[in-house]
Amino acid sequence: SVAVLFFAWWRVGKQNDVQLGLLAVFFLIGGLLGVLFSLVLELPEELSWLQLSPACNMMRIPMTTYCNSFAAATWILTPGLVEETGKAVWLFFRLRRSTQDLPGSCCFGCFPARRNFDCGCWYKLASTPYHVFLCALASGAGFESLENIKYVFFNSSAISHLKDPDARSTLLTIAVARSATSSLHMVWTGLIGLGLARRLFLPEAQQPSLPIVILPSIILHGLFDYAIAALSQVEASEQSGVIDKEEEGGLIAFFFSLFLLASLGSCCFLCVLTGLRSRCSGGSCCCAPGFFEKRYKET
């Protein structure tokens, strides 16, 4: 995640005077406050779903139309909504386009918010769209880094049996799986960052509404998690007689396609938005210099 963040900064941040210290601040904010926000809200929500529907919930998904619809909704409304909000809310609260956009006070009116008395420099100036976009990527990178530590070292009982070769193998498997998919947190937060940049830097007529900014990432995140959970439940439904062997194959293909759409589709979408073009269209890599102006201000 740090390598991806540095690549994006090198491509569009360095030339636009985006300071690495600013990205470090949002890396820590996304990791510490973002994960704390999610931990506080996700657990009660998951328990509520479990009490509401013991036979069909986020982790128990019989392969029926109703249960799959309900499970997809719960995954979108729990990790999708909570985690994407936990990562992105600090962008909306902290970034301002100029000093004229600073409020008169902060911390519920307890402190002034200008010059040297900025609540410990709570507000940060984002003078270009690339400041907003890179801060979003940094927040997602911080969140995924801390979440990876949680999954590998705290959500696995293998950590207490490190002398066991099987336990070490389990930890390695978890680490590899997390490294392969956790960068999606950066992608989804990056999409929100691009939407926020459009709200801050485009004329009012071109500014997207708040739901358009945040809903795509929430839905894609929720569907990604739902596809993984549902894939793990297909075999159990076949063994219990809920579906037959032919339906099992079809459902596996469907959920795997949904997994690819939510993961690779999200990555491709962000790459195209940030300037990825084929050779036939001029050829350019993602995070192309000037991509924001070329895509939005010249249209």
Side-chain angles (χ1 to χ4, degrees):
S1 59
V2 175
V4 173
L5 181 60
F6 183 81
F7 170 80
W9 172 82
W10 180 74
R11 292 276 289 171
V12 298
K14 186 177 180 180
Q15 62 185 283
N16 288 286
D17 296 322
V18 180
Q19 300 298 313
L20 288 174
L22 176 66
L23 303 187
V25 167
F26 277 90
F27 184 93
L28 294 174
I29 286 292
L32 298 176
L33 295 184
V35 170
L36 179 62
F37 181 96
S38 299
L39 287 175
V40 170
L41 294 183
E42 269 192 78
L43 182 58
E45 195 172 353
E46 290 175 4
L47 293 176
S48 298
W49 294 125
L50 184 61
Q51 292 177 351
L52 178 65
S53 179
C56 173
N57 47 65
M58 294 173 64
M59 302 309 301
R60 185 177 181 183
I61 312 175
M63 291 296 116
T64 64
T65 302
Y66 166 78
C67 188
N68 274 288
S69 302
F70 181 78
T74 58
W75 278 105
I76 292 172
L77 293 174
T78 307
L81 176 61
V82 174
E83 292 184 10
E84 292 310 313
T85 302
K87 291 181 293 179
V89 67
W90 317 110
L91 303 172
F92 290 85
F93 280 166
R94 300 195 65 180
L95 292 178
R96 295 294 183 271
R97 182 175 176 177
S98 66
T99 54
Q100 287 72 31
D101 295 325
L102 289 173
S105 62
C106 58
C107 299
F108 305 102
C110 298
F111 302 99
R114 295 185 181 275
R115 297 181 182 175
N116 297 328
F117 303 99
D118 182 16
C119 294
C121 298
W122 173 257
Y123 293 108
K124 300 296 181 182
L125 294 182
S127 56
T128 71
Y130 306 102
H131 284 73
V132 182
F133 172 62
L134 290 172
C135 285
L137 289 183
S139 181
F143 185 97
E144 74 180 41
S145 297
L146 200 59
E147 189 182 56
N148 285 344
I149 293 174
K150 179 175 76 75
Y151 273 103
V152 173
F153 295 105
F154 296 99
N155 285 21
S156 172
S157 59
I159 192 65
S160 59
H161 304 88
L162 287 179
K163 294 183 179 180
D164 185 354
D166 291 337
R168 291 197 296 269
S169 177
T170 299
L171 285 176
L172 180 61
T173 301
I174 295 173
V176 170
R178 292 297 305 171
S179 65
T181 60
S182 62
S183 59
L184 288 169
H185 276 296
M186 293 180 67
V187 173
W188 294 321
T189 314
L191 290 173
I192 294 176
L194 281 179
L196 177 57
R198 291 168 61 194
R199 285 176 63 89
L200 289 176
F201 291 93
L202 293 183
E204 186 174 355
Q206 294 179 261
Q207 294 176 8
S209 64
L210 189 59
I212 290 177
V213 171
I214 62 175
L215 281 179
S217 295
I218 291 173
I219 294 173
L220 287 168
H221 186 163
L223 290 179
F224 172 80
D225 288 346
Y226 160 67
I228 294 176
L231 273 171
S232 67
Q233 298 290 305
V234 174
E235 184 178 359
S237 288
E238 191 275 329
Q239 291 176 350
S240 61
V242 176
I243 56 175
D244 58 31
K245 204 69 177 177
E246 183 178 349
E247 290 174 314
E248 180 186 14
L251 287 170
I252 290 175
F254 171 76
F255 291 131
F256 186 70
S257 299
L258 183 61
F259 167 83
L260 293 178
L261 174 65
S263 55
L264 295 181
S266 297
C267 295
C268 292
F269 185 41
L270 182 64
C271 288
V272 170
L273 290 179
T274 59
L276 178 66
R277 296 291 182 271
S278 67
R279 289 186 179 181
C280 298
S281 303
S284 62
C285 185
C286 58
C287 294
F291 74 82
F292 189 87
E293 291 79 7
K294 293 176 183 177
R295 184 170 186 86
Y296 299 110
K297 292 191 176 182
E298 296 179 1
T299 58

